[in-house]
Structure formats: C-alpha cells, structure tokens
Amino acid sequence: MPALTVLMPVFNSERFLAQAIESILDQTFHDFEFLIIDDGSTDKSQEIIRSYADPRIRFLHNERNLGISPTLNKGITLARTELIARMDADDICHPTRLEKQYAYMQANPDCAMVSSLVRVVSETGEFLRQDQFDSRYFYYNLNFVCWIYHPTVMYRKGAVQEVGMYTAAYSEDFELFWQLARNHKIHNLPEALLDYRITNQSLHQVLKKQEYDQAQKEQLLRNFRYYAGEDYTLPDKYLECLQHDFTSLLQEQRVSSLYQCIKELRFLNQKILAKENINADPKAMAEAAYYKERFIVSALVRQLPRHKAVLFLLSLGKMRMLKQLISSKLLSHKP
C-alpha cells in the first residue's frame, strides 16, 4: 500500500500535461500512487498519459465529460490511501513538495489539510509573481477570499468525505476549504512548492469567470450568515468590495455607501472573532482584520477625489490616514 495518493483530473490538457506528470514522477518522495482521471478529453491527453510506463500511475477515463467536482469526488472515493495530494494538469510541482507536505501531515495528525504558497507563471513558464501571504491569516481570510491554491493541497480523505467532498459546480475549492476549516485544522506551509500556471484556458479567470464570480458571491453570503445569522445579507457592491473589487462602489462616488461597506466589515469582524473554531488564533485574526480594513480603505482613498477622501476618512475616524492625506504622504489626489 502506498503512503499517499496524488489525484490529478485531466481535460484537454495536452499542451502542459507531460510537464505536470513528470514533475510528480520526479518527486523526492516516491511512495505514492498517481491517480490520473481523464474527463472525456478530445485532444491527445490520453495518448500522453498512456505513454508513461511508471507503475505508480493509475489511469482512469470518463466516457463523457463529468466536470471537475464529480471527477474529483470519483478520485477521492477510489484513492487507496488516507492522504490525497491534489495536482492540476497544467502546473509544475517543485521536487520536494510531496516530501515536505507528507512530513507535516505525519507530524500533525490533527491537521486535515496542508497547502503551500506558489510561484505564479505565464503560459510559457515565465515568472509573474509570488504572493507573500501570511499563513497565520489564512483562516480569517477564507471567509472572504480563497488564498489557497487548489493544486497545492494535501488533505485527509476521511475529513473531506465527512464534509461531503466537492459539492459546488464552480468555485468548488473555496467551498470545500471553508467547510473543512469549520471543524478541522488547516495549515499553509510558508514556501512556494508549486508553479501555478495562468493560461487562456483557466476556468475561474477566463472561460467561466462570470460563473465563478457569482458562485463566490453566494459563498460569501453563506459564510457571513454562519456568523451573523440566516437573515444577514449584503448588496453585490459590498460583496465585491470585500473581495477587493472596488469598481461598483467607486462608480457611485457616494461617501455614505463607502462608509456603510466598512461598517459592515467591522460588524462581520466582530462576529468572526467571537466565533469559536479549532483554527482560531485571536491575535492573528485581529491582525488580519486590521490589515484587511486598512487595505480596503487605502485602496478606496487612492481613487477618490480629495474632498471625498477626506469625508470618508473622517466618517471612519481614521485620523492618522487623514493626516497622511493632508500632508500628501498617502498619495497625490485629484482636486
């Protein structure tokens, strides 16, 4: 019996598939089964997969395209091990990824899922950025946005099955991670262990962006109602702002609306910080809440006319930021 399962769904991934497969086969950790499920590809994906003779590969083929969530649920059910590492067919694992995550999960049997940071690369593999997310803030921020890159996670099969596995057609990873975090410990290793490729086929950023955006809005409302009650609601413009899309609010140019959005954030922060959770670190959560409000307020102020920025900061009691604005240290404003 292998120590863990690497689960990789594939759909029309011929362009980058070989590189993804080889990055798994070349891991410093060798004791795994590599469960690859082709979800009805019509390109050369199957041919590429079958060209590898490594005995660790288990190849399954869906006769028709089922979609990402049913395919992943199929893989979880068929996995022979308790530990499952996710992988996507267009990304590149760093050689020590499985070794480091397996070691962490062995040393922390109460942890249900571990992830890592990534290097974001272009279609051609050129470095674009590396997000410097603070691992201490992952639990708090999971209520608003998914900092966790899906192909970096290693999770325990039993915990994932307990929360119902993947239940959403879109933004399925965000849904699963939030559900896990409600009752199970999660952790993020503060180093990049995967190259995450942005392509013109990326579902959540290109092909199905509208569907993913709508799914995330619905998930945010569900998250907030967990803390604030079933009747709690927010308009789309506030949900977008809390995910750092300020377009709708800035188009309105209404200081009262900007203030109300931050007021709602403060209310939610009180509820989130008061809720008991196995991942709750009061100090880290308070810091994360502080930084989130500061980031949103600063971003809005930078794009407001000076007189509205002053009114906005006054309404929030942000005297230090107001002094910076007046002394032009914060930014150079439109009149």
Side-chain angles (χ1 to χ4, degrees):
M1 178 72 70
L4 64 87
T5 298
V6 179
L7 173 59
M8 184 173 78
V10 174
F11 179 67
N12 288 347
S13 304
E14 63 179 3
R15 185 175 176 188
F16 307 110
L17 182 55
Q19 198 171 11
I21 291 174
E22 288 163 17
S23 76
I24 293 295
L25 298 180
D26 292 340
Q27 289 286 299
T28 57
F29 184 92
H30 303 288
D31 188 15
F32 60 83
E33 65 166 346
F34 191 5
L35 181 54
I36 305 175
I37 306 180
D38 179 76
D39 191 23
S41 293
T42 57
D43 64 358
K44 295 182 179 179
S45 292
Q46 288 190 60
E47 180 182 333
I48 293 170
I49 297 165
R50 294 183 191 279
S51 71
Y52 290 90
D54 194 300
R56 294 173 294 181
I57 293 177
R58 287 176 64 197
F59 176 50
L60 302 174
H61 172 64
N62 295 338
E63 292 298 327
R64 60 182 179 85
N65 181 259
L66 301 179
I68 184 67
S69 289
T71 298
L72 287 172
N73 288 339
K74 178 179 179 179
I76 292 167
T77 301
L78 294 174
R80 292 172 177 155
T81 67
E82 173 63 11
L83 286 177
I84 300 174
R86 276 281 290 110
M87 179 60 179
D88 281 343
D90 53 1
D91 297 323
I92 305 168
C93 271
H94 296 187
T96 60
R97 178 215 164 172
L98 296 183
E99 178 183 350
K100 290 180 176 180
Q101 291 188 315
Y102 180 79
Y104 183 86
M105 294 296 272
Q106 289 297 101
N108 297 272
D110 60 339
C111 181
M113 184 179 76
V114 63
S115 57
S116 79
L117 301 180
V118 303
R119 293 174 71 254
V120 180
V121 300
S122 68
E123 287 199 33
T124 56
E126 296 171 337
F127 176 79
L128 297 177
R129 72 176 190 274
Q130 181 170 332
D131 299 319
Q132 298 300 323
F133 295 146
D134 191 323
S135 297
R136 297 177 304 140
Y137 302 157
F138 268 53
Y139 166 67
Y140 167 83
N141 279 291
L142 196 57
N143 292 293
F144 300 92
V145 65
C146 189
W147 274 5
I148 302 170
Y149 286 87
H150 200 179
T152 72
V153 302
M154 180 182 290
Y155 44 52
R156 299 190 191 276
K157 179 176 179 175
V160 172
Q161 290 177 320
E162 179 187 312
V163 301
M165 301 192 286
Y166 293 92
T167 59
Y170 301 105
S171 197
E172 72 287 339
D173 51 350
F174 189 11
E175 174 70 16
L176 174 64
F177 303 157
W178 188 82
Q179 293 290 357
L180 276 175
R182 286 177 61 182
N183 296 300
H184 298 277
K185 279 190 177 181
I186 62 172
H187 182 71
N188 182 73
L189 298 178
E191 61 178 307
L193 296 177
L194 179 133
D195 282 5
Y196 184 85
R197 195 188 307 267
I198 301 295
T199 77
N200 59 12
Q201 298 297 307
S202 297
L203 284 176
H204 71 290
Q205 299 192 49
V206 181
L207 297 182
K208 296 288 185 178
K209 186 179 187 306
Q210 184 175 352
E211 290 87 345
Y212 273 85
D213 287 349
Q214 181 58 37
Q216 289 196 2
K217 287 179 184 177
E218 293 171 2
Q219 287 166 341
L220 255 64
L221 274 178
R222 188 278 319 280
N223 296 354
F224 299 160
R225 287 167 180 161
Y226 174 69
Y227 299 102
E230 288 300 316
D231 295 330
Y232 184 76
T233 192
L234 284 176
D236 281 359
K237 60 186 178 182
Y238 291 174
L239 294 174
E240 292 165 4
C241 180
L242 295 181
Q243 287 200 306
H244 302 168
D245 178 357
F246 310 118
T247 307
S248 297
L249 274 180
L250 288 170
Q251 284 176 345
E252 285 187 346
Q253 291 287 303
R254 291 177 56 199
V255 172
S256 60
S257 188
L258 300 175
Y259 168 76
Q260 185 61 36
C261 183
I262 301 302
K263 183 179 177 182
E264 294 292 344
L265 174 61
R266 290 175 174 177
F267 169 75
L268 288 169
N269 283 337
Q270 290 178 344
K271 294 294 185 179
I272 293 170
L273 269 62
K275 191 83 168 182
E276 291 187 6
N277 184 277
I278 195 169
N279 295 287
D281 176 339
K283 181 180 179 182
M285 291 169 63
E287 289 177 5
Y290 167 78
Y291 288 126
K292 184 172 186 66
E293 178 176 325
R294 189 178 73 172
F295 178 85
I296 291 175
V297 171
S298 297
L300 291 171
V301 165
R302 287 189 178 94
Q303 299 178 71
L304 288 171
R306 181 180 290 270
H307 70 285
K308 290 189 175 182
V310 169
L311 290 174
F312 180 44
L313 293 175
L314 279 172
S315 69
L316 294 174
K318 297 281 188 180
M319 296 299 105
R320 180 177 297 180
M321 292 180 70
L322 181 58
K323 290 178 181 178
Q324 291 176 330
L325 174 63
I326 293 173
S327 64
S328 299
K329 290 181 180 178
L330 186 61
L331 58 122
S332 177
H333 261 80
K334 300 177 291 184

